[in-house]
Amino acid sequence: MSSLNAAVTESKLILTCGPGGVGKTTTAAALGVAAARAGRRTVVVTVDPARRLADALGLGDDAAADEPHRVPGVTKRTTDGELWALMLDAEQTFDRLVRDQSSTKKQADAVLNNPVYQAISGSLSGAQEYMAIERLHQLHASGEWDLVIVDTPPSRHAIDLLEAPDRLVGFLGHPVYRALTAGQRAFAKITDTAASMFLWAVKRLAGPQIVEDTIGFFRSLANIEGGLRKRAKEVSALLRDENTAFIVVSSPRSEAVGEAEHLLDALHDKKFPFAGLVVNLIHPMPEPLTDDDAKVLLELDDGPLADHVDWHVELTNLAVAERAELVDLEALAGDVPVIELPLLDVDIHDVPGLIDLSARLV
Ligand SMILES: Nc1ncnc2c1ncn2[C@@H]1O[C@H](COP(=O)(O)OP(=O)(O)OP(=O)(O)O)[C@@H](O)[C@H]1O
Ligand SMILES: [Mg+2]
């Protein structure tokens, strides 16, 4: 019987990742419940949880949802485990990163108050993914938690998450960025480069003020560039730490399975510690009919019982097809635990629902 017990009781960081809509947020919360009930002080960083789940985690309506909140009803008073949750706020996390990496408040304010920064900090390509990892780093570094669990954003591609730290560093090395942050004189000399084309285009589209702000933004960012690079490196190393566990969540739908396979390959190639596969939303396999029963039942006249038998056959076919879809993915998972979670007929939106799910995971 496979179980994620080791990941929940031994890791210091867990990331749930996978294709869109397969249950990453739900799984992250359920793993948090399992860890807290195993006696660990746990915090779960959720990204955009469904409304009712956010309420259950004590995060509804709260403007300070970006800070950890204790989730009630998870552990009994006699155990030391605790579950805390917060909702990722990419912009606030980015602001915190800028402040951490600036040597003075003035330097930080130059970035934070720049209109270009304000316009793009929430929407930079890959920013959501990067900020989820950055938040993980902030919480891990605080030393307050036995376990930090990070749910990941619904990305266009699950693999975006893995590339986020490199993408930030890649952006800092981009010729346009390099040219914009070069000194005024060097900048004036650049005539035929990508940067001047870029500026020309921006000027035409958006007017000169935007250009000034953009240059100002990149220049202010240059002050903290060293810090950002260093942090991206630390984050990359943290993700590959032996106490980090990547849990991949998928559903049996063919597009999701394809994307999950791609993600497993990438985890392997980039040497991220893959620690478990959760196949969620799977149809349970109905009890098989005995041959004799089947013969009798399949020859029934029309009526409620015959409908029931048809339904049994359909459900069996579906369950068989789903398992066939999963063969390659489960083989690719190798010897890590693989957990199948059934498609439940109730939405999981409260602590008892999460406790039930957590028991299936560990
Ligand atoms: N095993 C299950 N049975 C029934 N409903 C489930 C199950 N797992 C998750 N759900 C429901 O499916 C919906 C999507 O789940 P969730 O938000 O966890 O997915 P996600 O992967 O985080 O999605 P996104 O990519 O949009 O962030 C939620 O309403 C959740 O309650
Ligand atoms: Mg989610």
Side-chain angles (χ1 to χ4, degrees), residues 46-48 88-91 93-94 121-135 150-155 161 164:
T46 61
V47 181
D48 217 1
L88 178 73
D89 182 326
E91 286 172 48
T93 302
F94 210 156
S121 65
S123 61
L124 263 182
S125 140
Q128 273 267 330
E129 288 84 1
Y130 186 73
M131 291 310 137
I133 308 175
E134 171 59 28
R135 193 73 177 103
V150 175
D151 166 34
T152 57
S155 305
L161 173 81

Side-chain angles (χ1 to χ4, degrees), residues 106-124:
K106 202 169 147 220
Q107 231 176 49
D109 288 344
V111 178
L112 298 175
N113 297 331
N114 185 293
V116 173
Y117 173 79
Q118 289 169 358
I120 67 173
S121 65
S123 61
L124 263 182

Side-chain angles (χ1 to χ4, degrees), residues 98 101-112 220-221 223-224:
V98 168
Q101 299 305 329
S102 305
S103 28
T104 61
K105 182 172 180 310
K106 202 169 147 220
Q107 231 176 49
D109 288 344
V111 178
L112 298 175
S220 63
L221 203 58
N223 292 323
I224 62 169

Side-chain angles (χ1 to χ4, degrees), residues 28-72:
L31 288 171
V33 166
R37 290 165 71 89
R40 307 187 80 197
R41 211 175 123 73
T42 309
V43 61
V44 179
V45 179
T46 61
V47 181
D48 217 1
R51 178 83 217 174
R52 289 198 299 175
L53 180 62
D55 288 342
L57 296 175
L59 302 172
D61 286 337
D62 194 329
D66 182 48
E67 289 298 329
H69 284 57
R70 176 94 190 249
V71 182

Side-chain angles (χ1 to χ4, degrees), residues 16-308:
T16 57
C17 51
V22 295
K24 297 180 293 294
T25 303
T26 311
T27 303
L31 288 171
V33 166
R37 290 165 71 89
R40 307 187 80 197
R41 211 175 123 73
T42 309
V43 61
V44 179
V45 179
T46 61
V47 181
D48 217 1
R51 178 83 217 174
R52 289 198 299 175
L53 180 62
D55 288 342
L57 296 175
L59 302 172
D61 286 337
D62 194 329
D66 182 48
E67 289 298 329
H69 284 57
R70 176 94 190 249
V71 182
V74 175
T75 47
K76 299 190 195 76
R77 226 165 289 158
T78 47
T79 62
D80 344 321
E82 288 177 12
L83 181 63
W84 294 65
L86 62 90
M87 217 183 303
L88 178 73
D89 182 326
E91 286 172 48
Q92 284 196 38
T93 302
F94 210 156
D95 290 0
R96 212 178 283 118
L97 172 64
V98 168
R99 266 188 230 106
D100 282 358
Q101 299 305 329
S102 305
S103 28
T104 61
K105 182 172 180 310
K106 202 169 147 220
Q107 231 176 49
D109 288 344
V111 178
L112 298 175
N113 297 331
N114 185 293
V116 173
Y117 173 79
Q118 289 169 358
I120 67 173
S121 65
S123 61
L124 263 182
S125 140
Q128 273 267 330
E129 288 84 1
Y130 186 73
M131 291 310 137
I133 308 175
E134 171 59 28
R135 193 73 177 103
L136 175 155
H137 187 281
Q138 290 167 359
L139 290 162
H140 175 74
S142 76
E144 283 179 46
W145 307 99
D146 296 331
L147 172 63
V148 181
I149 301 179
V150 175
D151 166 34
T152 57
S155 305
R156 211 160 34 88
H157 301 295
I159 206 158
D160 286 354
L161 173 81
L162 306 180
E163 292 171 350
D166 297 339
R167 191 154 342 126
L168 179 74
V169 171
F171 167 76
L172 295 173
H174 194 281
V176 171
Y177 172 77
R178 295 247 65 93
L180 289 172
T181 51
Q184 199 74 49
R185 282 244 306 271
F187 186 68
K189 275 198 229 151
I190 304 166
T191 47
D192 201 23
T193 60
S196 64
M197 292 290 291
F198 169 77
L199 287 182
W200 179 81
V202 174
K203 223 174 220 162
R204 294 228 0 179
L205 288 169
Q209 185 56 46
I210 295 277
V211 175
E212 289 305 303
D213 289 341
T214 307
I215 295 175
F217 167 61
F218 285 118
R219 295 246 163 87
S220 63
L221 203 58
N223 292 323
I224 62 169
E225 179 183 334
L228 289 179
R229 276 177 190 281
K230 186 166 154 275
R231 178 56 70 87
K233 260 201 198 121
E234 286 167 6
V235 164
S236 267
L238 183 59
L239 291 184
R240 290 178 175 86
D241 192 275
E242 58 176 1
N243 293 313
T244 297
F246 280 80
I247 307 289
V248 172
V249 186
S250 182
S251 76
R253 280 185 46 214
S254 112
E255 310 88 273
V257 169
E259 200 171 328
E261 286 176 354
H262 195 47
L263 183 60
L264 287 198
D265 282 338
L267 286 170
H268 182 76
D269 285 353
K270 292 169 185 262
K271 304 195 164 45
F272 289 106
F274 168 52
L277 173 66
V278 174
V279 179
N280 190 21
L281 307 172
I282 192 166
H283 285 86
M285 183 69 77
E287 284 290 322
L289 298 176
T290 64
D291 286 351
D292 286 350
D293 286 349
K295 222 189 223 153
V296 176
L297 288 171
L298 290 170
E299 283 161 11
L300 280 174
D301 291 333
D302 285 353
L305 186 55
D307 287 348
H308 191 77

